[in-house]
Amino acid sequence: MSRIIAIDGPAAAGKGTLAKRLAAHFGLPHLDTGLLYRATGRRLLDEGADPSDPEAASAAARALRPEDLARPDLRVPAADAAAAQVAAIPAVRAALLDFQRDFARAHGAVLDGRDIGTIVFPDADAKLFVTASAEARGERRWRELRARGIAAELADVIALIRTRDAQDAARAAAPLLQAPDALRLDTTDLDADATFARALDLLAGRIGPA
Ligand code: CDP
């Protein structure tokens, strides 16, 4: 039986780190679905096309190849903005659904994103909704930026996180929502190790041992 673990939540809540560790623990492949939206936006920027143009964006989503997800320039501010634009287009989301479902078909998977437990895998074996206060998430993102040599004001990064939260929650196509059967994990006061330990407790009995 292939196993699917869905991890959703807002920006910088710790989904990616947790998803990687859970995937290694349970011996499952991991897909960071945000990369699909980032790579789609990146293709459009390369072509000089408009990331908010539904026709161009859905063509770029359909043309996506696994190697596009390994590009080194997916986490720069221009790609953040383009990803948010393409993610609001229903035809893009539809084009990326098959990619996500095919990825998990053979061996199961841990997938992290915004709509995994609500839309992509509503029947997932286990769903976690990982969140934290905007201040804690802003500080984490600020530290990540600093580690990459990108200077920014903490207050500005927190303000951007709040704007992204509002965009993710308000968009008509697949808004960020906690699935009714998702287990909530608030990481405001937890580091990566404590988050992992708490997630294993929550998943106990839902996902068989690795
Ligand atoms: O962590 P951060 O929000 O900066 O980035 P991400 O998780 O890589 O997501 C990039 C963009 O894709 C965001 O605008 C998300 O709202 C969007 N996204 C989405 O719409 N659906 C997903 N399953 C994953 C990401």
Side-chain angles (χ1 to χ4, degrees), residues 17-28:
T17 306
L18 175 62
K20 270 194 212 97
R21 291 183 69 166
L22 288 174
H25 179 81
F26 288 110
L28 294 170

Side-chain angles (χ1 to χ4, degrees), residues 106-128:
H107 305 291
V110 179
L111 300 99
D112 69 277
R114 299 290 191 287
D115 62 342
I116 310 304
T118 49
I119 291 175
V120 184
F121 286 109
D123 297 328
D125 300 276
K127 302 179 186 179
L128 295 176

Side-chain angles (χ1 to χ4, degrees), residues 8-13 15 32-38 74-75 79-88 93 100 112-116 120 141 144 161 164 167-168 171 173-174 176:
D8 290 305
K15 304 182 297 284
D32 169 356
T33 64
L35 290 180
L36 302 174
Y37 297 90
R38 291 174 178 276
L74 298 181
R75 292 195 185 279
D80 289 354
Q85 284 176 293
V86 302
R93 307 199 70 88
Q100 296 172 79
D112 69 277
R114 299 290 191 287
D115 62 342
I116 310 304
V120 184
R141 190 48 53 92
E144 280 167 23
I161 287 273
R164 288 278 300 281
Q167 284 172 344
D168 279 348
R171 71 179 176 211
L176 175 64

